[in-house]
């Protein structure tokens, strides 16, 4: 009986995405797959210049990426000193986000606690990373599965070009 129930759940998940067993991830009205028209109506590109999460301003103007007229990805870069504020806000909304800690060090021998958190949703992944590129910049990103697959393929292709 359990095997039949499991098979039915798999078939429903594959053929009925609205019955998917993950969750939709939404950050301040932004959700993967939302139409460009809905984005323009509900959020608008002007609000991207002063976008905040937990009162923390983006270091750069947000530029959401669309694919076939649907939100495909966005990256929110912010001051690493505010990482705990942003992470706290996200974990209060999505308590099932998983975080891993590791240690980074630089050429001068300084050590830093790296934190990488991830939450898989129905159509994409929310990630929060304490340090990206340098020890002053953190990132919250929301990428669709399609975007991630394309990004990974392009990165692999670049690595072959040597």
């Amino acid at each position: 009986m359990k095997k039949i129930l499991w098979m039915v759940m798999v078939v429903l998940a594959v053929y009925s995405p609205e019955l998917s067993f993950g969750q939709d991830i939404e950050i301040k009205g932004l959700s993967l797959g939302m139409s460009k028209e809905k984005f323009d109506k509900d959020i608008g590109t002007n609000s991207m210049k002063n976008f905040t999460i937990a009162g923390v301003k983006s270091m750069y103007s947000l530029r959401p990426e669309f694919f076939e007229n649907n939100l495909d990805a966005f990256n929110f870069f912010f001051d690493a000193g505010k990482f705990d504020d942003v992470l706290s806000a996200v974990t209060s909304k999505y308590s099932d986000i998983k975080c891993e800690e590791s240690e980074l060090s630089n050429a001068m021998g300084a050590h830093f606690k790296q934190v990488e958190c991830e939450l898989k949703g129905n159509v994409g992944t929310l990630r929060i990373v304490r340090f990206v590129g340098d020890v002053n910049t953190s990132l919250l990103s929301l990428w669709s599965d399609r975007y991630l697959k394309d990004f990974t393929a392009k990165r692999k292709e670049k690595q072959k070009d040597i």
Side-chain angles (χ1 to χ4, degrees), residues 65-85:
E65 297 189 38
F66 293 87
F67 179 77
E68 295 182 351
N69 205 36
N70 295 309
L71 184 63
D72 206 31
F74 78 93
N75 296 308
F76 175 76
F77 293 93
F78 59 99
D79 184 306
K82 302 292 185 178
F83 178 82
D84 290 333
D85 295 338

Side-chain angles (χ1 to χ4, degrees), residues 76-80 83 86-87 100 104 113-118 126-134 137-141:
F76 175 76
F77 293 93
F78 59 99
D79 184 306
F83 178 82
V86 173
L87 181 60
E100 291 184 14
L104 299 176
K113 182 176 84 170
Q114 173 67 299
V115 179
E116 297 182 56
C117 305
E118 189 171 284
L126 169 68
R127 291 200 58 196
I128 307 171
V129 182
R130 182 182 298 265
F131 302 120
V132 291
D134 59 46
T137 308
S138 292
L139 170 68
L140 179 146
S141 63

Side-chain angles (χ1 to χ4, degrees), residues 44-52 57-63:
T45 51
N46 286 338
S47 68
M48 295 291 98
K49 292 177 183 153
N50 298 310
F51 193 84
T52 63
K57 285 188 69 159
S58 176
M59 294 173 85
Y60 314 107
S61 179
L62 247 68
R63 288 181 306 209

